[in-house]
Amino acid sequence: MKATLSLILCFVLGLAFAQDAEPVKEGHDPESLIKEGIRLHDAGEYDKAIEKYLAAISLDPKNATAYYEAAFSYSSKRDHENSLKMAEKAIEFGNSDTRRLAIVSKGSTLDEMGRRKESAEFYEKGLKEFPDFYLLWFNYGVTLAALKRFDDAENAYIKGLNIRISHPGSNLQLGNLNKMLNRKASAALCYYFFLLLENNSNRSKDAANSLLELMYPKTDSTQNVFTINIGATAIDAKNPMAPAELFLGLMSVDRDKSKSNQQRFVEDTDKFLGMLSELKENQAKAASSKKKKKKNDSEPNFYFDTYVPFFSDLRAADHLETFCYHIMKSTGDPEVTKWLADNKDKVDRFYTWLKTR
């Protein structure tokens, strides 16, 4: 009786997911169908890709990869209900690797459906199982930011970056969050690092413009008055980024019109990162002294402790100028394009240096 019931369930499940799927051709196995589905998805043919995944599921009703890929394609065509169902099946049948990706998929779908509190709770449950998966922390942060739980979102992004600092999206969203909260110096460091990782996409162009807005806020040219824009942490004496906030606020006052915008950007970036490097060096000297310090004097600060040492090394290796042109590639500035073309040897040395990091 149990065997008969299992056969019936398998048949019903296979029939449910195989509706509208194209007939399975001779010699087609689930793996081949999934590969073909991925190819179709990448070409933007989401409906045809889904047909392949459903055909694979009809052959193997417990194929977690097919469910996960189907969830991705349904999500891409904004069919959230079916995406959610497929993600749940992938979680049910998947191994650890597939499960953690499917958890991200389900959480993202819940977020897109406006069920953000449910999404956050689901991510929290998933993070108990996969606390070292950076994409879970990233997507959790996105949901928390949408819920206006900004401090929690910041912590989630930072936890993900502590696992994988090279994830572009986490650096970008952390920068966007800090910019929104008027933490100018922290936002700038995030944008600098994001643009190092991704310098020639639509979102890198937006990030480059955001960075320039932080450094050179627009002022009313009809008024003979300069406005100093100071970030939110500038008056926090315990925050090591406070001097950097003041520095960025004063940067827009210096208007040397004999230099191009890019030349000015290179010089100001060198000053900004150099000032932070000096602060970090002074902090290290203070830490090694025998003087007693207050409990909060050495509180960790992700921006100061993670980004600043990297950029200090970059400056010391004499790659600052190349870095500044590299990160502005997406702006389409003719001066940037020409410099990168004329200085391929410097660019190659810079990339070689990055590979050693």
Side-chain angles (χ1 to χ4, degrees):
M1 181 67 180
K2 290 182 179 179
T4 303
L5 181 60
S6 297
L7 287 171
I8 293 172
L9 287 173
C10 287
F11 173 78
V12 172
L13 184 61
L15 182 62
F17 286 113
Q19 289 179 356
D20 298 325
E22 66 178 24
V24 179
K25 298 178 182 179
E26 184 177 353
H28 273 52
D29 58 278
E31 288 70 26
S32 297
L33 288 165
I34 292 169
K35 288 180 180 179
E36 180 64 11
I38 292 172
R39 186 191 67 77
L40 290 165
H41 176 98
D42 291 344
E45 299 282 352
Y46 303 131
D47 288 326
K48 291 181 179 180
I50 290 167
E51 289 181 0
K52 297 294 182 181
Y53 301 138
L54 296 182
I57 290 167
S58 71
L59 293 175
D60 181 3
K62 293 186 177 182
N63 193 308
T65 302
Y67 286 114
Y68 168 72
E69 295 294 349
F72 188 30
S73 291
Y74 275 123
S75 178
S76 297
K77 59 179 290 190
R78 306 194 68 77
D79 184 344
H80 299 314
E81 291 293 343
N82 276 316
S83 178
L84 199 62
K85 292 176 183 177
M86 292 294 173
E88 288 171 346
K89 285 294 181 181
I91 293 169
E92 178 182 354
F93 297 127
N95 57 21
S96 293
D97 287 341
T98 307
R99 275 178 58 80
R100 65 182 190 171
L101 289 171
I103 288 171
V104 170
S105 178
K106 179 178 176 179
S108 297
T109 299
L110 288 170
D111 186 291
E112 291 172 3
M113 295 171 76
R115 296 159 61 178
R116 292 196 174 101
K117 289 185 179 179
E118 186 179 349
S119 173
E121 292 172 357
F122 180 71
Y123 280 134
E124 288 160 9
K125 182 179 178 181
L127 283 164
K128 290 180 181 178
E129 183 177 358
F130 301 107
D132 296 326
F133 190 35
Y134 70 97
L135 281 179
L136 263 176
W137 285 110
F138 168 68
N139 284 274
Y140 181 43
V142 171
T143 297
L144 292 173
L147 289 169
K148 301 188 184 302
R149 291 170 55 183
F150 300 130
D151 288 343
D152 292 335
E154 180 184 31
N155 289 332
Y157 291 140
I158 288 174
K159 285 183 178 179
L161 285 168
N162 281 329
I163 297 168
R164 183 166 296 187
I165 188 64
S166 61
H167 181 231
S170 296
N171 287 281
L172 176 60
Q173 291 304 325
L174 185 58
N176 289 340
L177 178 64
N178 276 285
K179 183 186 177 187
M180 182 190 66
L181 296 174
N182 198 31
R183 300 171 184 169
K184 294 162 65 74
S186 297
L189 287 173
C190 295
Y191 287 138
Y192 274 125
F193 205 85
F194 164 73
L195 289 165
L196 170 73
L197 300 169
E198 184 177 314
N199 74 330
N200 198 28
S201 65
N202 288 332
R203 64 179 187 172
S204 62
K205 184 176 182 179
D206 291 339
N209 288 329
S210 292
L211 175 58
L212 293 172
E213 288 171 10
L214 290 172
M215 297 177 70
Y216 313 115
K218 294 179 180 179
T219 57
D220 186 353
S221 59
T222 64
Q223 301 293 324
N224 192 24
V225 177
F226 294 109
T227 301
I228 298 176
N229 296 277
I230 298 176
T233 60
I235 59 174
D236 185 356
K238 294 180 181 179
N239 191 321
M241 298 298 292
E245 295 286 357
L246 289 169
F247 186 89
L248 279 179
L250 293 168
M251 189 174 288
S252 59
V253 176
D254 181 16
R255 301 183 177 205
D256 186 349
K257 295 183 179 180
S258 67
K259 296 175 182 176
S260 69
N261 289 336
Q262 181 62 19
Q263 289 171 332
R264 181 185 177 194
F265 174 71
V266 173
E267 289 191 5
D268 287 343
T269 294
D270 191 32
K271 292 175 184 176
F272 174 60
L273 297 179
M275 181 270 300
L276 283 169
S277 297
E278 186 176 346
L279 284 174
K280 185 66 178 174
E281 184 178 344
N282 291 338
Q283 182 192 64
K285 289 178 179 178
S288 64
S289 69
K290 296 181 180 180
K291 295 181 180 180
K292 293 182 179 180
K293 292 183 282 295
K294 296 178 182 179
K295 289 183 179 180
N296 291 332
D297 279 356
S298 299
E299 280 189 0
N301 179 286
F302 171 79
Y303 311 95
F304 199 63
D305 298 335
T306 303
Y307 291 127
V308 174
F310 172 82
F311 289 121
S312 296
D313 290 346
L314 184 146
R315 291 179 70 251
D318 198 25
H319 292 303
L320 189 282
E321 181 183 32
T322 306
F323 164 74
C324 286
Y325 280 92
H326 166 84
I327 67 174
M328 286 294 146
K329 182 177 181 178
S330 63
T331 64
D333 183 337
E335 180 182 348
V336 173
T337 302
K338 185 177 186 305
W339 191 96
L340 291 171
D342 292 344
N343 293 273
K344 290 183 178 179
D345 55 334
K346 289 185 179 181
V347 174
D348 289 342
R349 286 198 297 271
F350 175 49
Y351 291 166
T352 299
W353 178 80
L354 285 175
K355 290 178 182 178
T356 67
R357 302 301 300 166

